[in-house]
Amino acid sequence: MSKLVQIAILPRQQEDLEYILELALEKEKLRRDGISDWRIRKRSIDARRKPIKINLQIELWLKGEVRETIPPFVPQNVSSCKEIAIIGAGPAGLYAALRAIEAGLKPIIFERGKDVRERRRDLAAINKDQIVNPESNYCFGEGGAGTYSDGKLYTRSKKRGNVLKALEWFVHFGADEDILVDAHPHIGTNKLPKIITSMRETILENGGEVHFNSKLTDFKVVDSSLKAIQINGEEWLQFDNVILATGHSARDIFYLLHEKNIKIEAKPFAIGVRVEHQQELIDYIQYHGEDDNPYLPPASYALVEQVDGLGVYSFCMCPGGIIAPCATEQEEVVTNGWSPSKRNNPYANSGIVVSVSPEDLPNYKEDDPFVCLDFQKLVEQRCWEAGGKTQKVPAQRMIDFVEGKVSEDFPKTSYQPGIVSADLNEVLPSLLSKRLKKAFVAFGKKMNGYYTNQAVLHAPESRTSSPISIPRNAETLEHIEIKGLYPCGEGAGYAGGIISAAIDGINCVDAIVLKRAVSYKL
């Protein structure tokens, strides 16, 4: 049984492995010849006060103990095995397919968008020409929204499944082993496409299938059981187990389910703006003036405030990052943020969003599943109009926003399509703007220097999560009304990021395996 030891070191000492080991041994009163192996298991920065420290969790194997190495991913050829359909090639869909290959099921993925290489052209068209392809964009395509939006792997969903397994699979397919150690692991948009491609190649090599430009357009349900799906409005394919992992922006799927009288529900979500500061300012604030320390990474932050009964908080904070255009239709604008692996851009951005429940909205109706989605669409369309009906976004300096002044000029921002000066108090519904104004003032008191007119608000940040949930049975993970339909991941309301979505994909396949085992015994 290995021992876990907690130690703290200075940032400049984190590469000195001999010193780290000696410190751990000294704390446990052990000699070097009393252990057989060791490793750094967890690493985090403690910047609450000076001097800034690195907290380490060290794992020690005592003499005579063996450090087991278990292969993280063990595939089998599933060419002739039972087939399951997976709709969507985001983290939930890809991990479902990989788990299926482990479990002896043949996954067949249908992805409405393109592969990671072809997808780049459509992203360039959004940034340079402001043309949105509704089937291939930052949200739709191989790898889903996560591929080109940072690759943050932090999750609080420890009870939903095996987080370590999900991270180990990323390492198996090419991610740096540091993601197994860092408290807030991050891959980087520049590295994710290669990892996603490796996952797809493994699926194909072991008998699975991946079909791009293949959009789910209909279901066939008989006696409350799923029997077939239609792809691209033409081909009908028979499946009795379908994992629906379409992501938080596949609105057409919500409308299709509603038309087929398959139950969906409105759910709480969050919406606001994406704020951009200079990274050097965030470093100065968070590192208490020790921002020139070469051993410290670009600083991040996390903020939360209760304002008039609703939570306002930072979301998807991107140190050294870029703000990207993430609309999925032409007549809307949406922002999101991402960072490359080195997080070496001069900007820091974060969503600052208001947590909204269906009952909070002025258009609330008890039985309307689209109440939150309609509000989300309204905000995106109003921002599109305020931005000049292009992919430019309405923007405002932070203090100008709070004081109700239209900004006359702006510092340079990372948002490539461009910004248009607007009073966001007039663009955003008062439900959002009034709370955001109070929150920014409060955040400035928590982080001295954060509340500044050098910060630019880009509107809106609206795709934090799905505004609709697809209810499922807590035990079987099937839809509460339709057997064989497995709502999965962010789009169904059961995940909030890459890792939680990946875990949910694994869980859905495990539920199918269990159902087949029970049926076989019967």
Side-chain angles (χ1 to χ4, degrees):
M1 186 75 174
S2 61
K3 296 177 69 70
L4 297 178
V5 186
Q6 309 292 335
I7 62 172
I9 61 172
L10 297 174
R12 68 173 183 270
Q13 297 168 330
Q14 59 188 314
E15 300 298 326
D16 190 343
L17 298 182
E18 285 295 317
Y19 173 78
I20 290 171
L21 175 58
E22 288 298 332
L23 197 61
L25 291 173
E26 181 181 345
K27 185 170 183 179
E28 284 299 301
K29 297 180 172 54
L30 291 171
R31 293 162 51 93
R32 186 172 296 225
D33 60 7
I35 65 168
S36 62
D37 203 351
W38 75 285
R39 67 172 175 173
I40 299 173
R41 183 164 175 176
K42 284 296 175 186
R43 175 174 54 227
S44 63
I45 297 175
D46 184 355
R48 290 173 294 179
R49 60 186 67 86
K50 297 178 76 172
I52 296 168
K53 294 182 178 180
I54 306 294
N55 290 329
L56 298 177
Q57 183 185 74
I58 308 299
E59 187 169 15
L60 302 171
W61 283 265
L62 301 182
K63 187 175 182 180
E65 294 179 340
V66 177
R67 177 179 174 180
E68 293 184 15
T69 55
I70 302 172
F73 179 69
V74 183
Q76 55 182 301
N77 191 295
V78 295
S79 302
S80 58
C81 294
K82 171 69 176 178
E83 296 177 350
I84 63 170
I86 299 171
I87 312 300
L94 287 172
Y95 267 62
L98 293 170
R99 176 63 188 127
I101 286 173
E102 271 198 335
L105 295 170
K106 179 177 179 178
I108 303 180
I109 296 178
F110 299 95
E111 166 57 51
R112 69 193 298 163
K114 302 176 182 178
D115 65 44
V116 287
R117 181 182 294 274
E118 290 297 316
R119 217 175 146 187
R120 289 193 180 102
R121 299 178 183 178
D122 296 307
L123 303 186
I126 298 175
N127 281 295
K128 296 177 182 178
D129 304 320
Q130 307 196 27
I131 298 172
V132 179
N133 181 340
E135 307 302 340
S136 178
N137 44 62
Y138 275 96
C139 292
F140 300 149
E142 187 176 21
T147 303
Y148 293 103
S149 60
D150 205 53
K152 292 183 185 69
L153 303 181
Y154 176 67
T155 180
R156 293 185 178 91
S157 305
K158 309 296 183 183
K159 295 181 180 180
R160 294 186 180 180
N162 193 333
V163 173
L164 180 59
K165 180 175 183 176
L167 291 172
E168 286 179 335
W169 280 12
F170 267 113
V171 172
H172 177 82
F173 290 104
D176 193 289
E177 289 189 359
D178 280 352
I179 68 170
L180 303 177
V181 176
D182 290 335
H184 291 81
H186 166 260
I187 294 177
T189 296
N190 54 317
K191 292 186 175 182
L192 267 169
K194 185 176 180 180
I195 294 169
I196 298 300
T197 299
S198 178
M199 289 180 177
R200 182 225 309 160
E201 290 173 346
T202 296
I203 292 167
L204 297 176
E205 288 168 1
N206 289 279
E209 298 180 17
V210 182
H211 302 276
F212 297 108
N213 301 301
S214 299
K215 181 178 179 179
L216 174 69
T217 50
D218 205 351
F219 300 95
K220 184 175 290 183
V221 177
V222 179
D223 296 331
S224 299
S225 294
L226 188 66
K227 296 299 181 184
I229 58 174
Q230 186 189 52
I231 301 298
N232 293 335
E234 300 172 353
E235 186 178 12
W236 280 97
L237 302 169
Q238 292 186 347
F239 289 99
D240 51 16
N241 289 302
V242 175
I243 294 176
L244 190 63
T246 48
H248 57 46
S249 291
R251 293 168 172 169
D252 57 300
I253 295 298
F254 301 137
Y255 293 124
L256 173 61
L257 291 167
H258 190 62
E259 290 169 6
K260 304 293 288 188
N261 292 317
I262 298 174
K263 187 175 180 61
I264 58 175
E265 299 171 335
K267 66 174 279 292
F269 74 119
I271 186 167
V273 296
R274 186 153 283 267
V275 180
E276 186 169 77
H277 292 78
Q278 288 291 315
Q279 181 63 51
E280 62 182 6
L281 173 62
I282 301 301
D283 291 345
Y284 182 83
I285 296 170
Q286 295 296 79
Y287 293 147
H288 316 290
E290 198 178 327
D291 51 305
D292 59 348
N293 189 327
Y295 300 100
L296 290 172
S300 62
Y301 62 82
L303 294 165
V304 63
E305 185 76 15
Q306 283 294 122
V307 182
D308 298 337
L310 298 181
V312 183
Y313 60 94
S314 57
F315 169 81
C316 184
M317 195 275 148
C318 301
I322 287 172
I323 299 178
C326 294
T328 51
E329 296 287 347
Q330 193 66 47
E331 296 184 358
E332 65 189 23
V333 292
V334 178
T335 66
N336 196 359
W338 61 269
S339 301
S341 57
K342 293 183 179 180
R343 291 177 160 170
N344 56 356
N345 284 298
Y347 309 102
N349 70 75
S350 178
I352 301 295
V353 295
V354 181
S355 181
V356 178
S357 294
E359 298 81 5
D360 300 320
L361 299 176
N363 56 324
Y364 172 67
K365 294 179 183 178
E366 185 175 356
D367 297 324
D368 181 7
F370 297 108
V371 59
C372 291
L373 177 57
D374 288 343
F375 184 78
Q376 182 189 59
K377 290 171 63 176
L378 171 69
V379 172
E380 293 172 359
Q381 289 167 356
R382 283 171 63 168
C383 289
W384 173 73
E385 292 170 355
K389 298 184 178 181
T390 67
Q391 284 305 299
K392 293 182 178 181
V393 297
Q396 196 169 10
R397 291 177 182 261
M398 184 182 287
I399 295 177
D400 286 348
F401 169 64
V402 173
E403 296 181 352
K405 300 175 183 178
V406 175
S407 301
E408 295 182 0
D409 57 14
F410 292 96
K412 186 178 180 181
T413 83
S414 66
Y415 186 76
Q416 193 170 345
I419 61 177
V420 173
S421 182
D423 186 354
L424 297 181
N425 293 282
E426 297 179 359
V427 177
L428 299 174
S430 61
L431 170 75
L432 306 178
S433 61
K434 289 181 179 179
R435 289 174 170 85
L436 287 171
K437 288 195 290 186
K438 292 181 180 181
F440 286 131
V441 174
F443 292 161
K445 295 176 181 177
K446 294 181 178 182
M447 284 179 62
N448 185 25
Y450 181 88
Y451 181 60
T452 171
N453 234 16
Q454 292 305 304
V456 179
L457 282 54
H458 302 63
E461 167 75 53
S462 52
R463 305 287 177 94
T464 59
S465 62
S466 174
I468 286 178
S469 67
I470 307 173
R472 68 187 187 190
N473 182 288
E475 294 183 2
T476 69
L477 304 191
E478 293 171 299
H479 188 277
I480 59 172
E481 298 172 345
I482 310 298
K483 294 185 182 302
L485 178 62
Y486 293 82
C488 182
E490 282 202 57
Y494 300 102
I498 292 175
I499 290 298
S500 57
I503 290 171
D504 204 49
I506 291 173
N507 291 343
C508 285
V509 172
D510 286 345
I512 293 172
V513 171
L514 179 61
K515 181 176 73 171
R516 284 173 50 78
V518 171
S519 298
Y520 179 77
K521 289 179 181 178
L522 294 176

